[in-house]
Amino acid sequence: MTKLRLAIVGAGPAGIYAADILLKTERSFDVSIDLFEQLPAPYGLVRYGVAPDHPRIKGVINALRDVLDRGDIRIFGNVRFGEDIMLTDLKKHYNAVIFATGAIRDADLEIPGVDAEGSYGAAEFVSWFDGHPDVPREWPLDAESVAVLGNGNVALDVARILAKHAEDLLPTEIPENVHAGLDASRVTDVHIFGRRGPAQVKFTPLELRELGELRDVDMVVYNEDFDYDDASIAAIASNKQVKVIDRVLQQWRTRPSADNAGGEASRRLHLHFWSRPVEIKKDADGRVAAIVYERTQPDGSGGMTGTGELREIAIGQLYRAVGYFGSPLKDVPFDKKHGVIPNREGQVIAKDSNQRVPGIYATGWIKRGPVGLIGHTKSDAMETVQHLVNDQGSWWQPVDPSEEAIPALLAERGVQWTDLEGWHRLDQHEIGLGEPHERARIKIVPRDEMVRISRGE
């Protein structure tokens, strides 16, 4: 019987779902799967891209843990593709590879002044407050007024963490250095800017409701943003999610706040709709000083158009939550415009010739771009896996498909990889750190410490 030796690069939801689906797929051959992950711990953006006060979403980890804990998938953590292991290595030892590396850097926003000191991509900030080992330990929260650009769930996550009082995050798995940084924060006003109106936002009702539940934070909305056109009225009437969002926002309009007097909270969260950022002004030292934005208006079909009216708000920091973007992988085709590996239904294609590249596949955000929720990743993986199974005739023919080859190769290169048993060690260590404080866990942040604990050294 033929055996498929498969490498999957990326141990987030996309990679783990692909492995699980393949193992459960009806096929005429055996399967052996190795997962490669550049971080010492698995789960990708579920561990490092979801705010720590979102335990419901982090429940996805339980499902992913169940897959890994079956023991029929090997994991090699702390292994960087393109440095510790190359595409040529995978061709020597596997029949195929699926890239599930996601999209972890910020999409560009090209407006004047966006390069000012104090202008950050949301992905950088999320990585910091989630304890990612490869970002600085400290974050300067030295401005009283800050802006968040975007109307998706990431923008709301960033705004919520900025506005929330640090002690209210203590029951979560927030790392110690992050709690200390937030506790020292000077932020009093967080301004969220969206180019379109309340009926066109990209965030979910749950995310929006959570904003309104923050202790000692006033929600500030502006009456001028709720003069709905026919397209907005139709969206609210026909879409249950939009209807709930509108209901929440309408309730906030009746609350006391700094905008309509009566607000008594020490912090405020302002929602500016119909507001398109056009410039970030700098002070004499090159730091963020103000945001200039254009008031927009409905274009009659659910979109927006500019009015020419410019406004300005003084801010000391800027967070751009305008989308994530994929990163190129060594020796793998890459579409620089869209930030994805070019593919047809997960089968990777050469960028110039548009011909299929045998043995190489993609799934998740590196396949389709950073859109959709975690649930979409399953159907995405199913499509890719089905092609992989059907493409048996074009698999690579490895010279050494033995299971011992990869540990020997990594050891020879001095790579300190972590395995599933190592993740269990780190997992229990973090949970143990949290128990005396009645916390879910306290994350270990430094990479070398994660590796040392994982390897039992």
Side-chain angles (χ1 to χ4, degrees), residues 28 80 136 176 240 244 340 370 401 436-437:
S28 59
R80 297 178 186 271
E176 297 284 20
K240 185 178 179 182
V244 173
V340 298
H437 309 283

PDB file of all heavy atoms in Angstrom, residues 28 80 136 176 240 244 340 370 401 436-437:
ATOM      1  N   SER A  28      -7.027   5.366  -0.128  1.00  0.00           N
ATOM      2  CA  SER A  28      -6.503   4.016  -0.368  1.00  0.00           C
ATOM      3  C   SER A  28      -5.051   3.895   0.057  1.00  0.00           C
ATOM      4  O   SER A  28      -4.336   3.024  -0.434  1.00  0.00           O
ATOM      5  CB  SER A  28      -6.636   3.682  -1.855  1.00  0.00           C
ATOM      6  OG  SER A  28      -5.919   4.628  -2.628  1.00  0.00           O
ATOM      7  N   ARG A  80      12.014  27.036  12.070  1.00  0.00           N
ATOM      8  CA  ARG A  80      11.670  28.077  11.095  1.00  0.00           C
ATOM      9  C   ARG A  80      11.864  27.559   9.671  1.00  0.00           C
ATOM     10  O   ARG A  80      12.969  27.192   9.286  1.00  0.00           O
ATOM     11  CB  ARG A  80      12.538  29.313  11.312  1.00  0.00           C
ATOM     12  CG  ARG A  80      12.346  29.998  12.659  1.00  0.00           C
ATOM     13  CD  ARG A  80      13.306  31.176  12.775  1.00  0.00           C
ATOM     14  NE  ARG A  80      13.283  31.791  14.087  1.00  0.00           N
ATOM     15  CZ  ARG A  80      12.464  32.782  14.450  1.00  0.00           C
ATOM     16  NH1 ARG A  80      11.599  33.265  13.583  1.00  0.00           N
ATOM     17  NH2 ARG A  80      12.519  33.297  15.660  1.00  0.00           N
ATOM     18  N   PRO A 136       8.994  43.094  21.259  1.00  0.00           N
ATOM     19  CA  PRO A 136       9.547  43.693  22.483  1.00  0.00           C
ATOM     20  C   PRO A 136       8.651  43.425  23.699  1.00  0.00           C
ATOM     21  O   PRO A 136       7.438  43.278  23.573  1.00  0.00           O
ATOM     22  CB  PRO A 136       9.599  45.186  22.150  1.00  0.00           C
ATOM     23  CG  PRO A 136       9.685  45.240  20.657  1.00  0.00           C
ATOM     24  CD  PRO A 136       8.866  44.079  20.170  1.00  0.00           C
ATOM     25  N   GLU A 176       2.723  38.772  32.641  1.00  0.00           N
ATOM     26  CA  GLU A 176       3.024  39.738  33.688  1.00  0.00           C
ATOM     27  C   GLU A 176       3.500  41.075  33.114  1.00  0.00           C
ATOM     28  O   GLU A 176       3.118  42.147  33.584  1.00  0.00           O
ATOM     29  CB  GLU A 176       4.102  39.169  34.630  1.00  0.00           C
ATOM     30  CG  GLU A 176       3.668  37.924  35.386  1.00  0.00           C
ATOM     31  CD  GLU A 176       2.714  38.218  36.539  1.00  0.00           C
ATOM     32  OE1 GLU A 176       2.093  39.298  36.549  1.00  0.00           O
ATOM     33  OE2 GLU A 176       2.578  37.361  37.417  1.00  0.00           O
ATOM     34  N   LYS A 240     -30.021  40.092  10.285  1.00  0.00           N
ATOM     35  CA  LYS A 240     -30.210  40.009  11.739  1.00  0.00           C
ATOM     36  C   LYS A 240     -29.006  40.560  12.498  1.00  0.00           C
ATOM     37  O   LYS A 240     -29.148  41.255  13.505  1.00  0.00           O
ATOM     38  CB  LYS A 240     -30.452  38.548  12.131  1.00  0.00           C
ATOM     39  CG  LYS A 240     -30.777  38.361  13.602  1.00  0.00           C
ATOM     40  CD  LYS A 240     -31.059  36.892  13.922  1.00  0.00           C
ATOM     41  CE  LYS A 240     -31.361  36.716  15.409  1.00  0.00           C
ATOM     42  NZ  LYS A 240     -31.594  35.277  15.737  1.00  0.00           N
ATOM     43  N   VAL A 244     -28.954  43.746  15.152  1.00  0.00           N
ATOM     44  CA  VAL A 244     -28.487  43.705  16.546  1.00  0.00           C
ATOM     45  C   VAL A 244     -27.456  44.800  16.789  1.00  0.00           C
ATOM     46  O   VAL A 244     -27.475  45.480  17.823  1.00  0.00           O
ATOM     47  CB  VAL A 244     -27.900  42.316  16.884  1.00  0.00           C
ATOM     48  CG1 VAL A 244     -27.268  42.322  18.274  1.00  0.00           C
ATOM     49  CG2 VAL A 244     -28.975  41.243  16.804  1.00  0.00           C
ATOM     50  N   VAL A 340      -0.637  36.440  -0.673  1.00  0.00           N
ATOM     51  CA  VAL A 340      -1.000  35.020  -0.585  1.00  0.00           C
ATOM     52  C   VAL A 340      -0.059  34.191  -1.462  1.00  0.00           C
ATOM     53  O   VAL A 340       0.651  34.727  -2.316  1.00  0.00           O
ATOM     54  CB  VAL A 340      -2.459  34.767  -1.033  1.00  0.00           C
ATOM     55  CG1 VAL A 340      -3.445  35.489  -0.132  1.00  0.00           C
ATOM     56  CG2 VAL A 340      -2.670  35.201  -2.497  1.00  0.00           C
ATOM     57  N   PRO A 370      -6.651  37.168   4.505  1.00  0.00           N
ATOM     58  CA  PRO A 370      -7.127  37.205   5.888  1.00  0.00           C
ATOM     59  C   PRO A 370      -8.594  37.595   6.016  1.00  0.00           C
ATOM     60  O   PRO A 370      -8.947  38.647   6.539  1.00  0.00           O
ATOM     61  CB  PRO A 370      -6.217  38.263   6.519  1.00  0.00           C
ATOM     62  CG  PRO A 370      -5.902  39.181   5.401  1.00  0.00           C
ATOM     63  CD  PRO A 370      -5.828  38.335   4.170  1.00  0.00           C
ATOM     64  N   PRO A 401      12.097   8.766   3.013  1.00  0.00           N
ATOM     65  CA  PRO A 401      10.854   9.110   3.693  1.00  0.00           C
ATOM     66  C   PRO A 401      10.767   8.584   5.131  1.00  0.00           C
ATOM     67  O   PRO A 401       9.699   8.627   5.744  1.00  0.00           O
ATOM     68  CB  PRO A 401       9.795   8.446   2.807  1.00  0.00           C
ATOM     69  CG  PRO A 401      10.483   7.248   2.249  1.00  0.00           C
ATOM     70  CD  PRO A 401      11.938   7.617   2.108  1.00  0.00           C
ATOM     71  N   PRO A 436      -2.048  29.827  41.792  1.00  0.00           N
ATOM     72  CA  PRO A 436      -2.037  30.532  43.088  1.00  0.00           C
ATOM     73  C   PRO A 436      -2.771  31.873  43.049  1.00  0.00           C
ATOM     74  O   PRO A 436      -3.184  32.397  44.079  1.00  0.00           O
ATOM     75  CB  PRO A 436      -0.537  30.745  43.368  1.00  0.00           C
ATOM     76  CG  PRO A 436       0.176  29.772  42.500  1.00  0.00           C
ATOM     77  CD  PRO A 436      -0.681  29.595  41.294  1.00  0.00           C
ATOM     78  N   HIS A 437      -2.915  32.431  41.834  1.00  0.00           N
ATOM     79  CA  HIS A 437      -3.546  33.739  41.674  1.00  0.00           C
ATOM     80  C   HIS A 437      -4.972  33.620  41.122  1.00  0.00           C
ATOM     81  O   HIS A 437      -5.574  34.630  40.752  1.00  0.00           O
ATOM     82  CB  HIS A 437      -2.703  34.604  40.736  1.00  0.00           C
ATOM     83  CG  HIS A 437      -1.251  34.669  41.106  1.00  0.00           C
ATOM     84  ND1 HIS A 437      -0.785  35.440  42.144  1.00  0.00           N
ATOM     85  CD2 HIS A 437      -0.171  34.022  40.599  1.00  0.00           C
ATOM     86  CE1 HIS A 437       0.529  35.277  42.257  1.00  0.00           C
ATOM     87  NE2 HIS A 437       0.926  34.423  41.331  1.00  0.00           N
TER      88      HIS A 437
END
